[in-house]
Amino acid sequence: MLRLTDRGLYCEAADLFIDPWLPVDRAVITHAHGDHARWGSRRYLASREGARVLRTRLGDAAAIELVDYGEPLTVNGVTVTLVPAGHILGSAQVRLEHRGEIWVVSGDYKTEPDPTCTPFEPVRCHTFVTESTFGLPIYRWRPQEETFADLCAWWRDNAAQGRASVVYAYALGKAQRLLAGVRGAEIGPVYTHGAVERLTADYRSSGVALHDTTPVAELPRGTRYAGSLVVAPPSAARSPWLRRFGDFSTAFVSGWMQVRGARRRRALDRGFALSDHVDWPALLDAIDATGAECVWVTHGYRDQVVRYLGERGLRARAVASHWEGENDEQPAVADETELA
Ligand SMILES: [Zn+2]
Ligand SMILES: [Zn+2]
């Protein structure tokens, strides 16, 4: 059904690519992160839920056709259906059915609840194409309520000492999950970097309820930042933009913060492990739930995951995609600098 080409994952029967890394005639997009939604293709197909964020990322000129989750579309005899992936607003798995054979391409996904997007839905298939960003047994997420409680305690401590709290979070997805997570908590005021605010506005106009925010750019000169929570993209770290905050503490919200030393290497005061990808047990459960006998493993720890699945009797194959799961979570991602 699918094969890897130099432009991306290609379905010949339907003549379409999924998240191609070079321009193509027809691209099906799993979600709006920069490594999956690339500019320059002639036509895009994506989920209606993610319409606003994808438009912000691809620009006004892009030809984007929208479908609802679960609404089947027939392309040259292939039934294409987008199914919620639970990763960020609008994220979708792509289900392809042709002559009784079913493939599912996961894109990026998580199975943990997230109030900013429709929950992940398992789909039965013959072949499952999965990401493996955190595909190592060391990755196990704590309950997110605990992480948010820790973050609020960090803010309280900073506020008590007259400091601002600057938290770095990926501008698309993670920042909004953070703003949903602290909604209703005693925190703030919450200020945002422009790159975060723009996508946050897209989430709000898509109907997602988030904590109130004020863009830093709209605050009057002489604003005192002590006691505020500032949400900024990782690319703002160590930039002159930070000077205005005076005395402040820094933290990074990312799955990578689970690893000892990751915080220290970036010279951050705190790290909060919160990810929009599945951890190791959730990855294995998700693969099981598909019932697939064949698994293609893309970006992340694909060789390790392939070996593990092979030992469990599955036909598993590493697929050298150009997707960069890590970068969804890493600081200083190129397209964030663009947005800043
Ligand atoms: Zn992603
Ligand atoms: Zn990815």
Side-chain angles (χ1 to χ4, degrees):
M1 182 95 73
L2 290 174
R3 65 186 161 87
L4 190 66
T5 73
D6 56 354
R7 306 200 154 253
L9 213 47
Y10 181 57
C11 174
E12 185 156 13
D15 191 21
L16 57 80
F17 287 81
I18 297 170
D19 293 352
W21 37 87
L22 289 174
V24 299
D25 185 57
R26 181 161 209 176
V28 180
I29 298 299
T30 63
H31 66 291
H33 276 149
D35 55 322
H36 292 263
R38 296 194 199 231
W39 185 83
S41 286
R42 202 163 75 83
R43 286 180 299 169
Y44 295 91
L45 178 73
S47 81
R48 194 177 308 282
E49 179 179 283
R52 286 177 194 271
V53 287
L54 189 62
R55 179 58 72 193
T56 293
R57 280 293 167 97
L58 292 179
D60 287 339
I64 306 173
E65 185 189 346
L66 301 169
V67 279
D68 287 317
Y69 291 133
E71 177 191 340
L73 195 85
T74 306
V75 184
N76 302 338
V78 179
T79 309
V80 182
T81 317
L82 300 186
V83 181
H87 173 59
I88 63 166
L89 185 67
S91 62
Q93 307 173 72
V94 182
R95 181 188 184 277
L96 302 167
E97 181 171 358
H98 186 51
R99 296 183 183 145
E101 200 188 336
I102 301 167
W103 285 53
V104 170
V105 180
S106 73
D108 292 339
Y109 66 103
K110 72 172 176 296
T111 52
E112 260 182 308
D114 174 347
T116 67
C117 60
T118 302
F120 175 88
E121 225 174 80
V123 187
R124 306 284 296 178
C125 58
H126 300 101
T127 300
F128 185 47
V129 183
T130 183
E131 58 136 327
S132 61
T133 304
F134 290 104
L136 285 183
I138 53 163
Y139 291 107
R140 283 161 207 269
W141 312 137
R142 293 164 66 205
Q144 55 187 314
E145 303 72 41
E146 292 177 16
T147 306
F148 284 120
D150 282 356
L151 185 127
C152 290
W154 167 72
W155 168 80
R156 260 196 313 277
D157 187 46
N158 290 331
Q161 303 195 43
R163 277 199 294 260
S165 301
V166 176
V167 61
Y168 303 116
Y170 194 67
L172 170 55
K174 187 60 59 61
Q176 292 74 34
R177 189 169 170 210
L178 173 70
L179 291 169
V182 300
R183 189 168 163 259
E186 232 180 274
I187 204 162
V190 180
Y191 300 139
T192 46
H193 183 279
V196 168
E197 185 61 28
R198 185 163 160 195
L199 290 154
T200 297
D202 286 337
Y203 268 62
R204 285 204 184 96
S205 56
S206 305
V208 181
L210 302 173
H211 196 289
D212 287 337
T213 56
T214 308
V216 168
E218 287 175 19
L219 294 168
R221 263 187 185 287
T223 295
R224 285 182 42 79
Y225 291 93
S228 67
L229 179 76
V230 180
V231 186
S235 55
R238 293 189 289 276
S239 74
W241 184 78
L242 294 171
R243 269 183 221 141
R244 70 193 78 200
F245 302 119
D247 188 14
F248 62 89
S249 177
T250 57
F252 188 30
V253 180
S254 162
W256 299 111
M257 292 296 107
Q258 193 183 297
V259 182
R260 213 182 287 272
R263 174 184 63 76
R264 216 171 350 96
R265 275 200 300 280
R266 297 194 177 91
L268 297 156
D269 298 317
R270 285 295 297 268
F272 299 104
L274 184 77
S275 178
D276 288 324
H277 298 264
V278 277
D279 64 4
W280 176 252
L283 171 71
L284 299 182
D285 286 350
I287 292 170
D288 266 355
T290 65
E293 60 255 24
C294 184
V295 180
W296 284 17
V297 183
T298 66
H299 58 319
Y301 293 102
R302 56 184 184 222
D303 296 332
Q304 291 88 334
V305 172
V306 163
R307 199 175 323 124
Y308 183 88
L309 296 176
E311 282 163 10
R312 299 198 345 167
L314 287 168
R315 278 192 289 133
R317 177 190 153 183
V319 177
S321 71
H322 290 207
W323 304 320
E324 303 152 348
E326 316 82 88
N327 280 2
D328 287 3
E329 300 268 347
Q330 290 285 42
V333 172
D335 59 3
E336 279 177 354
T337 328
E338 264 166 49
L339 277 170

